[in-house]
Amino acid sequence: MAAFVAAASVLPSGAPQRGSRFAGRNAAPGGRPRLSVLAAKSSTPPDVPKPRPGEERKNKAEWFQAILSKFGPVKERASNTTVLDFEKPLVELDNRIKEVRQVAEENGVDVSNQIKELEERAKQLRKDTYSRLTPIQRLQVARHPNRPTFLDIALNITDKFVELHGDRGGLDDPAMVCGLGSIDGVSFMFIGHQKGRNTKENIYRNFGMPQPNGYRKALRFMRHADKFGFPIVTFVDTPGAYAGKAAEELGQGEAIAVNLREMFGFRVPIISVVIGEGGSGGALAIGCANRNLIMENSVYYVASPEACAAILWKSRDKAGTATEALRITPSDLIKFKVMDEVIPEPLGAAHSDPMAAFPAIKEAIMRNYRRYESMSAEEVQLDRYKKFRELGMWEEFLVAGGKNKEAREALEKAAGATTAAGTWAPTADDAQFIEMMADMEEKWQQTLASKQEWLMKPEVPTGMSEPGLLELAAASIEARRRLVSGSDAAVDASSAAAANKASPNGSAELVNAESN
């Protein structure tokens, strides 16, 4: 606050000062002086504390630097940082190194070589630990509370970021964050799930599980980006869409389905980055992209391992087994073509050194964006369609009796044959069968093109609702009954004639075989 000083102004009676609008007011009756309160300009900021006795008042620059010094970089890890079970030996070794360094400094002993050797061992131990993580351990890393969130990444990789709100339906879901940002002069539309770091933030963000209005909010800004030509970058970090009663009443499934449909029609390139968990439809609702990237210690699954274990084994204790069976780690996802690229993380994962993880994310986004910079809108759409057509791994190989191994060995040893179109088959009979199926498919397509309902429409007898099958069944039953009674010939002939008339595709032979 401005300092106020009291000044006494003595004004002679009847002679006010010129130019002073307070002159008449300052003169007291009888010419007596009156105290006047005047505001004096202060040379220090208003919130600077008073100097203590014996101290000189700091100038503005020193005062501002003192304020900023409280927000300097963190030199040591906080004591309340979450430590995973497999990370405890690493943390203990780091603490021992700090203790040795502190004791050496206090006693003036030079142990720099020994400390350097210990640091090299700690680095190698950390490298070996994180290179041999099991799927359940990688899942724990992906869920680490200190892992960088979407806003952490967006604010550190962009030159400028502006968050946008609202779904144009009166709602705004904090679990889904959208905004415009620029990287190296290129404007992007950023959309991502947002988790919290503590209980209060997680309750506000609903633990990263969006409501239906969150997905409608994301769709609104994706349409905005498609209209104005902004490339879309999505960041996936959710255990799944919120499955509460209110969400179902507001149309959770419909909101996700609409996003899936609309994302395949956008004319701008879409890049999706899994930065933590990618759970079920909640992740896929913003993950239908041209390029799907995943960080080294992230996971992507159709159902959480705990839910899978509860369904299959009726116990959450089998979560480790379910994690291995689900194939949710980046190496498996790349193998199955679910993901296109793995973004490396610093040694010790992104939660141990977030600032070192941001440059790799930025470089991967820009490199993948350059692939589509010169493509037309139609080429971008076809690339997205082609990516999802090739997704996954499957094999059409069915063996009667379950002798799969023997059948594969016989297939590898087969001489082989080719069809007229050049398709390989194990034997000549198989090649002939393939040609027959191709001819049937061609005839079927011609039938569909000509819009013919029936090639040979059967005659429906009176009282019959379905032609062909009912006549054949009735004739077969009658043939068996007559065969038991002994009167075969006349009945067989009439039954075969009726069946042949209703369905001329071998029904008569079937009836004769039944009667004989």
Side-chain angles (χ1 to χ4, degrees), residues 181-261:
S182 62
I183 304 177
D184 298 338
V186 182
S187 296
F188 293 91
M189 176 64 75
F190 290 94
I191 299 171
H193 303 101
Q194 178 65 27
K195 288 183 177 180
R197 296 207 179 278
N198 50 48
T199 303
K200 185 177 180 179
E201 290 182 8
N202 275 319
I203 292 174
Y204 175 67
R205 301 288 182 181
N206 199 26
F207 294 85
M209 297 183 292
Q211 302 270 0
N213 47 288
Y215 292 112
R216 295 185 179 116
K217 170 184 175 181
L219 181 60
R220 172 204 166 190
F221 289 112
M222 284 191 282
R223 286 173 173 166
H224 180 87
D226 184 62
K227 179 179 179 179
F228 293 99
F230 296 133
I232 301 172
V233 181
T234 66
F235 293 85
V236 177
D237 187 14
T238 177
Y242 184 60
K245 180 182 177 182
E248 296 298 331
E249 290 175 349
L250 293 174
Q252 184 73 283
E254 183 268 348
I256 294 175
V258 170
N259 278 30
L260 298 180
R261 181 192 68 191

Side-chain angles (χ1 to χ4, degrees), residues 93-102 115 118-119 122:
L93 184 56
D94 291 339
N95 293 335
R96 293 290 179 84
I97 294 174
K98 291 179 182 178
E99 292 176 1
V100 172
R101 182 182 289 109
Q102 183 178 359
I115 291 178
L118 289 175
E119 289 177 346

Side-chain angles (χ1 to χ4, degrees), residues 9-314:
S9 59
V10 180
L11 300 176
S13 176
Q17 286 185 347
R18 296 184 60 186
S20 175
R21 57 194 179 100
F22 297 105
R25 301 177 185 176
N26 290 335
R32 293 191 305 271
R34 172 177 289 177
L35 291 178
S36 175
V37 180
L38 301 178
K41 293 184 179 180
S42 176
S43 59
T44 57
D47 56 347
V48 176
K50 295 181 179 180
R52 296 179 180 178
E55 294 183 358
E56 296 182 359
R57 185 182 296 274
K58 297 181 180 179
N59 56 32
K60 294 180 181 180
E62 293 177 351
W63 168 79
F64 188 64
Q65 290 295 332
I67 294 296
L68 290 182
S69 64
K70 300 179 181 179
F71 303 96
V74 178
K75 298 180 180 179
E76 294 185 1
R77 180 184 296 229
S79 59
N80 61 348
T81 301
T82 303
V83 179
L84 303 176
D85 291 338
F86 67 89
E87 291 181 323
K88 290 180 179 178
L90 303 175
V91 175
E92 291 177 0
L93 184 56
D94 291 339
N95 293 335
R96 293 290 179 84
I97 294 174
K98 291 179 182 178
E99 292 176 1
V100 172
R101 182 182 289 109
Q102 183 178 359
V103 171
E105 291 177 356
E106 292 175 355
N107 298 322
V109 180
D110 184 13
V111 291
S112 57
N113 294 332
Q114 290 80 355
I115 291 178
K116 184 177 180 180
E117 183 179 353
L118 289 175
E119 289 177 346
E120 290 294 331
R121 290 183 180 180
K123 183 178 179 180
Q124 185 62 36
L125 179 60
R126 181 172 281 103
K127 183 176 180 180
D128 295 340
T129 300
Y130 279 92
S131 62
R132 295 195 301 264
L133 290 181
T134 62
I136 190 66
Q137 290 175 339
R138 206 170 292 275
L139 177 64
Q140 294 173 357
V141 175
R143 294 173 173 174
H144 200 285
N146 298 109
R147 194 169 177 83
T149 62
F150 162 55
L151 282 177
D152 296 330
I153 296 172
L155 294 173
N156 281 278
I157 68 174
T158 58
D159 305 323
K160 187 176 182 180
F161 178 76
V162 179
E163 184 177 355
L164 305 173
H165 297 272
D167 65 343
R168 290 289 173 88
L171 298 172
D172 182 38
D173 190 353
M176 185 72 71
V177 177
C178 308
L180 282 170
S182 62
I183 304 177
D184 298 338
V186 182
S187 296
F188 293 91
M189 176 64 75
F190 290 94
I191 299 171
H193 303 101
Q194 178 65 27
K195 288 183 177 180
R197 296 207 179 278
N198 50 48
T199 303
K200 185 177 180 179
E201 290 182 8
N202 275 319
I203 292 174
Y204 175 67
R205 301 288 182 181
N206 199 26
F207 294 85
M209 297 183 292
Q211 302 270 0
N213 47 288
Y215 292 112
R216 295 185 179 116
K217 170 184 175 181
L219 181 60
R220 172 204 166 190
F221 289 112
M222 284 191 282
R223 286 173 173 166
H224 180 87
D226 184 62
K227 179 179 179 179
F228 293 99
F230 296 133
I232 301 172
V233 181
T234 66
F235 293 85
V236 177
D237 187 14
T238 177
Y242 184 60
K245 180 182 177 182
E248 296 298 331
E249 290 175 349
L250 293 174
Q252 184 73 283
E254 183 268 348
I256 294 175
V258 170
N259 278 30
L260 298 180
R261 181 192 68 191
E262 294 295 318
M263 289 188 75
F264 280 98
F266 291 143
R267 299 166 298 172
V268 296
I270 305 174
I271 300 172
S272 177
V273 185
V274 181
I275 60 176
E277 289 183 275
S280 190
L284 198 60
I286 61 171
C288 297
N290 294 84
R291 297 285 291 176
N292 289 83
L293 317 180
I294 184 170
M295 295 185 69
E296 184 180 356
N297 292 297
S298 298
V299 293
Y300 197 72
Y301 48 74
V302 68
S304 67
E306 292 82 4
C308 180
I311 294 171
L312 297 180
W313 292 283
K314 310 300 180 183

Side-chain angles (χ1 to χ4, degrees), residues 229-501:
F230 296 133
I232 301 172
V233 181
T234 66
F235 293 85
V236 177
D237 187 14
T238 177
Y242 184 60
K245 180 182 177 182
E248 296 298 331
E249 290 175 349
L250 293 174
Q252 184 73 283
E254 183 268 348
I256 294 175
V258 170
N259 278 30
L260 298 180
R261 181 192 68 191
E262 294 295 318
M263 289 188 75
F264 280 98
F266 291 143
R267 299 166 298 172
V268 296
I270 305 174
I271 300 172
S272 177
V273 185
V274 181
I275 60 176
E277 289 183 275
S280 190
L284 198 60
I286 61 171
C288 297
N290 294 84
R291 297 285 291 176
N292 289 83
L293 317 180
I294 184 170
M295 295 185 69
E296 184 180 356
N297 292 297
S298 298
V299 293
Y300 197 72
Y301 48 74
V302 68
S304 67
E306 292 82 4
C308 180
I311 294 171
L312 297 180
W313 292 283
K314 310 300 180 183
S315 173
R316 293 170 61 93
D317 297 336
K318 295 286 187 178
T321 304
T323 306
E324 296 179 2
L326 286 171
R327 305 292 183 89
I328 64 177
T329 56
S331 57
D332 291 325
L333 296 169
I334 291 291
K335 179 181 178 182
F336 298 144
K337 299 181 180 179
V338 177
M339 292 291 156
D340 300 307
E341 182 180 332
V342 177
I343 301 177
E345 296 185 20
L347 186 62
H351 66 269
S352 64
D353 190 3
M355 297 304 297
F358 298 142
I361 299 174
K362 178 179 178 180
E363 188 274 334
I365 291 174
M366 294 305 298
R367 176 165 38 81
N368 283 276
Y369 162 71
R370 301 299 180 192
R371 295 165 55 101
Y372 305 96
E373 195 173 14
S374 60
M375 286 189 182
S376 63
E378 291 76 13
E379 290 174 336
V380 170
Q381 290 176 325
L382 289 175
D383 177 84
R384 194 180 305 129
Y385 173 80
K386 179 175 177 291
K387 181 239 182 331
F388 278 85
R389 288 291 295 176
E390 296 177 351
L391 188 144
M393 293 181 64
W394 68 91
E395 185 177 15
E396 297 179 358
F397 193 77
L398 182 63
V399 180
K403 297 182 179 180
N404 194 288
K405 183 178 179 180
E406 292 79 359
R408 289 181 182 277
E409 293 176 353
L411 183 64
E412 293 176 357
K413 296 177 182 179
T418 55
T419 64
T423 303
W424 184 88
T427 63
D429 293 339
D430 292 332
Q432 185 178 359
F433 177 77
I434 293 173
E435 290 182 354
M436 181 186 70
M437 295 298 294
D439 293 339
M440 292 177 62
E441 176 66 19
E442 184 177 355
K443 291 179 181 179
W444 174 247
Q445 294 297 333
Q446 292 174 358
T447 302
L448 293 178
S450 61
K451 298 183 180 180
Q452 297 180 14
E453 295 183 0
W454 295 90
L455 293 178
M456 294 177 291
K457 191 171 183 178
E459 297 179 5
V460 182
T462 305
M464 292 292 183
S465 59
E466 297 185 18
L469 184 59
L470 290 178
E471 289 85 346
L472 178 61
S476 300
I477 295 173
E478 183 66 18
R480 292 193 187 96
R481 190 179 65 81
R482 293 287 183 174
L483 183 61
V484 174
S485 62
S487 54
D488 302 344
V491 177
D492 290 344
S494 61
S495 300
N500 192 25
K501 181 179 180 181

